[in-house]
Amino acid sequence: MKKILFAAYSLDIGGIEKALLALANQLQKRNYCVTIVLEKKQGIFLKQLDPNIQIIEYRPNESKNKLKRKIINAIKRIQFILQYKNKFDFSASFATYSNVASFVSRIASKNNCLWGHADYLTVFNHQKEEVKKFFEEKKYDQFKHIVFVSQEGTESFLRIFPKMKERTITCNNLIDGQKILEMANEAIEMSRDKETFTFINVGRHDEKQKRLTRIIKAAEELKKENDKFKVLFIGDGQDHEFYKEMVKAKQLEDTILFLGKKKNPYPYFKIADCVVLSSDYEGYPVVFLESFILNKPIITTKVSDYEEIELGRGLVAEKNEQDIYEKMKDMLEKGYKIEKEFDIEQYNQEMIEKLEKLF
């Protein structure tokens, strides 16, 4: 039985965390022995992990006393090296941004991997030196493999680091389709309103990336012409209160509903008519797969792999509120019929085969 380690920050709500949950559970089912190292052993997804998956917490000391902090963290690093150096058949720094995850995965196995979840040229506003600095801090060149969850992410990385081509592959996120379908049947306090068209957005409330102001402004315009719709926001984050204040100022409280973080968002997908994604950038969006599985059309901005939506699964908008408004209006007035059922088993099998080559 191969021993696999993933390192991340936490298992709280988010696309990276949701992807790690699905991947770890899938591999454990396939007779891999999975261990997850977290900087903080917390998050709503912890209880959804297969109970046979081992969780290790590696929390750096954050003392304001610089000397104390350096000594304690040096001791922690030595202890980890002594206990886990090359003890795994494969290890991955799954949370790209985490320096701790980078260290842990490079120590745990010679067959190690850095996971990329975004088009980092877009994330850093096409500042190539910033992208270089980011990956150099993660010691990218010390990893045997680099995996990106989207083709856009792979291509932008290789534009800056062309010598890494032989070590870099694209492998989309896995997802537990059967689990999602089961969870979608859980009873909730809301029911489907056939008289009101329901849009839904699920994710972190972070304006820099998610740009939910685009949806709020689009809803404001749409309501001037048609009030037979509502928008459900599921999630939380640093800009949650900012969004609530914006909705209140625009007198949209009856149209845009904030439901907070949900351990199980899928029953809300089920009662919705359309998913809306307004982000400036994403990796391979997990919400795409969730929408495919639950057979919901999606309106998305031109983030990574948006071309898949153009293949009969929804509408693609430019990254501005005007085009999002027009696509929401089109969806509201005309509806949308998805023609082809998504084959989740075939999709996951293709991704597993790619990963098994790395393992």
Side-chain angles (χ1 to χ4, degrees), residues 176-350:
D176 190 338
Q178 189 56 44
K179 182 72 171 177
I180 287 173
L181 290 170
E182 291 171 5
M183 292 173 70
N185 291 323
E186 182 181 301
I188 55 173
E189 72 282 3
M190 299 180 73
S191 58
R192 191 180 187 94
D193 183 351
K194 293 181 180 179
E195 301 300 316
T196 304
F197 193 96
T198 302
F199 297 97
I200 186 171
N201 175 277
V202 180
R204 189 176 68 258
H205 289 182
D206 173 6
E207 181 63 9
K208 182 178 184 293
Q209 178 185 357
K210 303 298 184 179
R211 301 298 296 272
L212 298 189
T213 54
R214 290 170 175 161
I215 297 176
I216 295 170
K217 291 175 183 177
E220 181 184 26
E221 286 302 305
L222 191 56
K223 194 173 181 180
K224 294 175 183 177
E225 306 164 6
N226 189 331
D227 63 357
K228 295 294 184 182
F229 76 96
K230 61 186 175 186
V231 181
L232 306 181
F233 278 163
I234 293 180
D236 201 352
Q238 62 192 41
D239 292 315
H240 181 73
E241 292 303 321
F242 165 71
Y243 291 140
K244 290 183 75 173
E245 287 299 319
M246 185 177 183
V247 166
K248 184 178 179 180
K250 294 180 179 296
Q251 299 182 326
L252 293 171
E253 294 103 319
D254 293 334
T255 301
I256 298 178
L257 308 180
F258 292 88
L259 304 183
K261 285 198 295 188
K262 297 291 182 184
K263 189 179 297 185
N264 178 11
Y266 303 119
Y268 300 91
F269 275 85
K270 191 173 180 179
I271 64 171
D273 297 287
C274 175
V275 178
V276 187
L277 186 68
S278 55
S279 302
D280 257 357
Y281 57 88
E282 294 281 348
Y284 185 91
V286 175
V287 73
F288 281 7
L289 295 174
E290 293 168 334
S291 302
F292 298 167
I293 290 164
L294 295 169
N295 208 38
K296 298 294 177 180
I298 185 167
I299 295 170
T300 182
T301 44
K302 290 183 176 180
V303 294
S304 293
D305 296 270
Y306 73 86
E307 297 89 349
E308 292 190 19
I309 305 304
E310 293 178 316
L311 300 174
R313 297 198 176 276
L315 305 175
V316 175
E318 299 296 332
K319 294 175 182 177
N320 61 67
E321 55 265 23
Q322 179 62 30
D323 206 23
I324 291 173
Y325 150 73
E326 289 175 5
K327 298 303 188 292
M328 289 175 70
K329 180 180 178 181
D330 196 37
M331 191 71 71
L332 177 58
E333 292 178 351
K334 300 176 184 177
Y336 193 94
K337 185 178 180 182
I338 296 171
E339 299 292 339
K340 187 179 179 182
E341 187 175 342
F342 180 62
D343 189 338
I344 184 61
E345 293 302 324
Q346 180 182 340
Y347 167 87
N348 275 340
Q349 185 57 38
E350 289 173 2

Side-chain angles (χ1 to χ4, degrees), residues 16 94 96 115-124 131 134-135 147-157 173 209 281-285 304-305:
I16 290 175
F94 202 79
T96 329
W115 230 273
H117 297 272
D119 169 355
Y120 289 92
L121 269 175
T122 301
V123 172
F124 288 101
V131 179
F134 174 81
F135 280 102
V147 169
F148 278 91
V149 300
S150 70
Q151 191 59 37
E152 286 86 347
T154 299
E155 290 170 0
S156 74
F157 177 78
N173 292 316
Q209 178 185 357
Y281 57 88
E282 294 281 348
Y284 185 91
S304 293
D305 296 270

